[in-house]
Amino acid sequence: MARTLSFLLLFGLSATALAAPSTVSIDMAGRVYLAAGLREQVSASLDGMPERLRRMFLSESHGKLDAARLEAVTAAAKRTFRIDVFEPSALAAFAAHLDPAAVQQALAFLASPTGRRMVAADVALAKLDPAATDAIANGKLAAAATPQRAALFQRIATTTRATDSAAEVYMTMGRSLAVGKAMGYGLDLKEARASVGKKTPPPADLLKSLAVPLERYVAYDYRDLSDADLRSMLAFFDSPAGKTYVNASIAALTAGYRSMSRRCGERIGESWREIARSEAQDSAVSTPNPPRPNP
């Protein structure tokens, strides 16, 4: 879903997803995944993740992280925020949340002229540079829309659960990074989860802060689609198959970003532990022994 991926532009493997029973095969889920342009959209969102995570860690430390630890964050993100890390758990979750009827109707919609135009717009939006995505979020880059079209865009944002899904992925990434980092310091998964604390739903202030930017993304994304296209999209998303597709897409994105984030956190924790050990050894070597008292 471009709505969630656009937010990520702005801004281990999931055992649960792999264990979940699938009602459709991974191959069938993969057909929908590719037809929806999700691989292209996710791939486009990953290029900037190392720099985004570096800025996030620097901000959360209030500028106190040294160059070695920041470089460890960048290196970990480059090794883990990759499509081959994302897809195994994402596709497993996608398959687990789809059903045969939803697959067939989703494929039919995505193959239609409206579906193809929607996917092309989603992919193009995902490939915008950070300056453009910031301008859209701030309302500085927008397409003119009549009140009727604005209402259609708002309905699309609602039916695709744009705000909820973006907030869920954001919260999942933050928690998974923290869990992974704790594991990198030597805790097992259960201990790491306990150290991070209980999983909580996205807070109201986060949902509120995302709502307007995401509606702007939707409006900019589909600015060149006709009113008929927008109504056709709504008809699909409002259908039982469309709702299943939306829920499955959100589950796939959440599982994939959880996988990448946890692995990234583990590597950061391991690297920071090694840096701390090296610093402790250097400090021990450089500290002179106290003089012995004269007998």
Side-chain angles (χ1 to χ4, degrees):
M1 306 295 291
R3 278 60 62 185
T4 298
L5 295 171
S6 299
F7 164 72
L8 292 171
L9 288 169
L10 173 69
F11 171 100
L13 196 65
S14 172
T16 301
L18 291 177
S22 297
T23 55
V24 302
S25 69
I26 296 292
D27 286 345
M28 287 299 294
R31 287 181 59 194
V32 181
Y33 170 83
L34 292 175
L38 288 175
R39 172 177 282 175
E40 292 176 88
Q41 295 174 60
V42 172
S43 295
S45 78
L46 300 181
D47 292 342
M49 287 306 297
E51 181 57 30
R52 292 186 197 99
L53 285 184
R54 184 186 181 97
R55 291 200 304 266
M56 183 187 77
F57 273 87
L58 185 61
S59 174
E60 291 182 350
S61 72
H62 303 289
K64 295 178 180 178
L65 279 182
D66 58 26
R69 286 172 174 79
L70 285 174
E71 183 53 38
V73 170
T74 301
K78 287 180 178 178
R79 292 183 64 111
T80 55
F81 278 87
R82 302 196 322 252
I83 196 68
D84 60 315
V85 179
F86 172 88
E87 285 186 337
S89 51
L91 286 173
F94 203 32
H97 288 80
L98 288 170
D99 59 59
V103 166
Q104 294 304 319
Q105 291 179 52
L107 287 173
F109 169 72
L110 294 169
S112 70
T114 292
R116 290 180 182 276
R117 284 190 285 270
M118 181 192 78
V119 171
D122 289 345
V123 172
L125 183 69
K127 292 181 177 180
L128 288 178
D129 61 65
T133 59
D134 286 347
I136 296 169
N138 295 329
K140 296 178 180 178
L141 180 60
T146 64
Q148 291 79 9
R149 283 179 65 82
L152 290 171
F153 293 141
Q154 188 172 42
R155 285 181 59 196
I156 290 172
T158 299
T159 56
T160 58
R161 297 174 53 203
T163 300
D164 291 341
S165 60
E168 181 64 28
V169 172
Y170 180 87
M171 295 286 288
T172 295
M173 286 181 63
R175 178 177 172 80
S176 299
L177 280 166
V179 168
K181 192 167 70 168
M183 293 173 69
Y185 272 103
L187 300 183
D188 62 27
L189 179 58
K190 184 177 180 180
E191 293 169 333
R193 284 175 171 166
S195 72
V196 171
K198 185 179 179 181
K199 182 180 178 181
T200 58
D205 58 344
L206 175 62
L207 294 171
K208 184 177 180 180
S209 69
L210 292 175
V212 171
L214 285 166
E215 286 182 11
R216 288 171 176 163
Y217 276 126
V218 170
Y220 189 83
D221 188 5
Y222 303 132
R223 64 195 183 281
D224 293 329
L225 273 65
S226 68
D227 288 3
D229 281 331
L230 300 180
R231 293 191 182 94
S232 179
M233 290 166 58
L234 278 169
F236 171 68
F237 289 130
D238 276 332
S239 70
K243 291 176 181 177
T244 297
Y245 168 80
V246 167
N247 291 337
S249 298
I250 294 170
L253 289 167
T254 302
Y257 277 95
R258 180 189 299 118
S259 178
M260 295 186 295
S261 299
R262 184 177 296 169
R263 290 197 193 186
C264 183
E266 285 186 57
R267 287 188 174 274
I268 291 170
E270 291 167 357
S271 298
W272 284 10
R273 183 174 57 176
E274 289 301 316
I275 291 171
R277 181 181 294 124
S278 177
E279 289 173 342
Q281 291 173 345
D282 291 344
S283 178
V285 170
S286 62
T287 302
N289 294 324
R292 295 182 179 180
N294 293 326

